[in-house]
């Protein structure tokens, strides 16, 4: 399979690139390297993967790159992912996540791609809901500009399908974690907690810590993308990808401490003011994806935390 991965030098994208390369696929990465790193692609480069540095907001550059490569499948992961940035700079968020997605969809259509696998958010798109775990049939009512931009991109994907016959499948992720998540960033709570556990610092928790999330290991996200890309005829155009297990932030703090081998009570949260635009409860009903895409059981949190800690040790001085 010939595949393009946008945002392929980033945390999730580079893991997906590795999965495609391991399967023998030919891959082109599109990334502006504003957050991603060529170091994440070292193994993929050795296998022949190419990187084209461009911004998905540049429609002409996107169309030129995509049509020249003529992919079978486009995996679209490039995005502005920080909820706080979206609340502070909604225009930046919208141009990246909406205009950028339209550019990718348009280019894929022009290139004759068989399918676009679009990345969305299960964590931010549903907003506050009483249906937890939340199925894809629940109305999307995002609280943040980030969730709104992702919902809008989903609607454009559906429009390209209806108006132009472009096969699009959207995957709504839970809170993804794992190797290559930036422990110095702002949007990867597990990597940040792992870094603090390994360097003797307390984790900062915004709010009272009772808020819940569905933490899904990056390897499971890769498996879902590969399944969505290769499926002959998916039965739906949108799938939740997570674990179906609700974990509070305080429970996560405890689990990270245990995985790091710290003594009970040695790793405790420092509470800070709650942040605007973040939902209280978020957990995904993943029945549809497990059944239709034939996904296996999710990686247990303890196993995923140990893998993440092992990786953070390699990039954190003094860990």
């Amino acid at each position: 399979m010939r595949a393009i991965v946008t945002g392929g030098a980033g945390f999730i994208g580079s893991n997906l690139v590795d999965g495609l390369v391991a399967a023998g696929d030919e891959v082109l990465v599109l990334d502006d390297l504003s957050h991603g790193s060529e170091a994440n692609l070292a193994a993929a480069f050795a296998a022949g993967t190419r990187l084209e540095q461009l911004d998905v907001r540049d429609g002409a550059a996107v169309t030129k790159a995509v049509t020249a490569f003529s992919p079978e499948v486009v995996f679209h992961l490039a995005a502005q992912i920080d909820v706080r940035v979206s609340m502070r700079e909604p225009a930046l968020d919208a141009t990246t996540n909406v205009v950028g997605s339209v550019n990718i969809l348009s280019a894929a259509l022009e290139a004759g791609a068989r399918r676009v696998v679009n990345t969305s958010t299960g964590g931010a798109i549903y907003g506050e809901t009483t249906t937890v775990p939340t199925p894809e049939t629940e109305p999307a009512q995002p609280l943040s500009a980030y969730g709104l931009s992702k919902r809008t991109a989903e609607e454009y994907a559906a429009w390209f399908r209806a108006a132009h016959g472009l096969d699009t499948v959207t995957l709504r992720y839970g809170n993804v974690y794992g190797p290559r998540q930036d422990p110095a960033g702002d949007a990867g709570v597990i990597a940040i907690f792992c870094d603090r556990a390994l360097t003797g610092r307390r984790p900062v928790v915004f709010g009272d810590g009772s808020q819940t999330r569905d933490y899904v290991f990056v390897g499971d996200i890769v498996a879902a993308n590969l399944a969505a890309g290769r499926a002959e005829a998916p039965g739906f155009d949108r799938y939740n990808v997570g674990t179906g297990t609700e974990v509070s932030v305080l429970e996560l703090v405890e689990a990270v401490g245990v995985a790091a081998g710290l003594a009970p009570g040695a790793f405790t949260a420092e509470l800070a003011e709650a942040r605007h635009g973040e939902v209280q409860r978020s957990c995904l009903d993943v029945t549809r994806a497990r059944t239709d895409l034939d996904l296996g059981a999710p990686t247990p949190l303890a196993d995923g935390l140990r893998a993440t800690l092992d990786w953070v040790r390699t990039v954190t001085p003094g860990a």
Side-chain angles (χ1 to χ4, degrees):
M1 178 170 70
R2 291 173 63 82
I4 285 178
V5 181
T6 74
F11 156 47
I12 302 174
S14 65
N15 278 281
L16 174 57
V17 169
D18 284 348
L20 289 163
V21 169
D25 296 319
E26 187 176 351
V27 183
L28 173 67
V29 171
L30 305 183
D31 200 301
D32 67 359
L33 299 182
S34 59
H35 296 286
S37 169
E38 291 185 79
N40 289 338
L41 296 170
F45 286 153
T49 293
R50 293 191 298 110
L51 166 67
E52 188 146 347
Q53 187 173 347
L54 58 77
D55 190 323
V56 293
R57 294 173 293 182
D58 184 342
V62 166
T63 297
K64 181 179 179 181
V66 174
T67 54
F69 186 75
S70 190
E72 181 182 350
V73 178
V74 177
F75 296 91
H76 178 42
L77 289 87
Q80 191 299 113
I81 63 170
D82 194 314
V83 169
R84 284 158 292 172
V85 170
S86 81
M87 301 297 282
R88 192 169 61 245
E89 301 180 69
L92 169 65
D93 184 79
T95 53
T96 303
N97 293 349
V98 179
V99 175
S101 295
V102 170
N103 288 340
I104 293 296
L105 292 161
S106 297
L109 177 65
E110 185 169 334
R114 176 175 62 83
R115 178 170 297 147
V116 175
V117 180
N118 177 52
T119 294
S120 190
T121 169
I125 204 164
Y126 295 112
E128 296 291 2
T129 174
T130 57
T131 308
V132 180
T134 309
E136 294 88 347
T137 52
E138 187 75 7
Q141 298 178 318
L143 298 180
S144 65
Y146 167 66
L148 178 58
S149 69
K150 283 296 191 177
R151 187 183 75 176
T152 304
E154 284 190 16
E155 293 306 314
Y156 268 106
W159 179 80
F160 270 85
R161 171 189 282 268
H164 298 293
L166 178 64
D167 189 350
T168 61
V169 177
T170 290
L171 302 181
R172 292 174 170 175
Y173 302 165
N175 285 63
V176 189
Y177 72 99
R180 298 184 188 152
Q181 188 173 47
D182 185 3
D186 295 319
V189 64
I190 286 185
I192 294 169
F193 284 5
C194 288
D195 178 73
R196 288 182 170 262
L198 294 173
T199 55
R201 295 176 294 162
R202 296 177 66 189
V204 177
V205 171
F206 297 92
D208 63 6
S210 65
Q211 60 269 37
T212 62
R213 298 293 184 265
D214 187 335
Y215 297 104
V216 56
F217 189 63
V218 68
D220 300 332
I221 295 295
V222 170
N225 272 275
L226 295 178
R230 299 188 195 285
E232 185 173 340
F236 300 92
D237 65 347
R238 302 174 206 203
Y239 294 93
N240 289 336
V241 183
T243 68
T245 300
E246 192 174 10
V247 177
S248 76
V249 179
L250 290 183
E251 288 172 333
L252 176 64
V253 169
E254 182 180 2
V256 170
V258 170
L262 301 179
F267 191 60
T268 59
E270 176 185 334
L271 300 183
E273 185 178 354
R275 296 186 295 202
H276 183 55
E278 295 193 348
V279 300
Q280 179 64 24
R281 296 182 68 193
S282 177
C283 182
L284 304 178
D285 183 333
V286 294
T287 304
R288 177 186 287 184
R290 287 189 191 173
T291 302
D292 202 49
L293 299 179
D294 195 26
L295 300 181
T299 301
L301 181 62
D303 293 349
L305 290 178
R306 283 192 291 269
T308 306
L309 283 159
D310 287 344
W311 183 80
V312 172
R313 287 186 180 96
T314 69
V315 297
T316 300

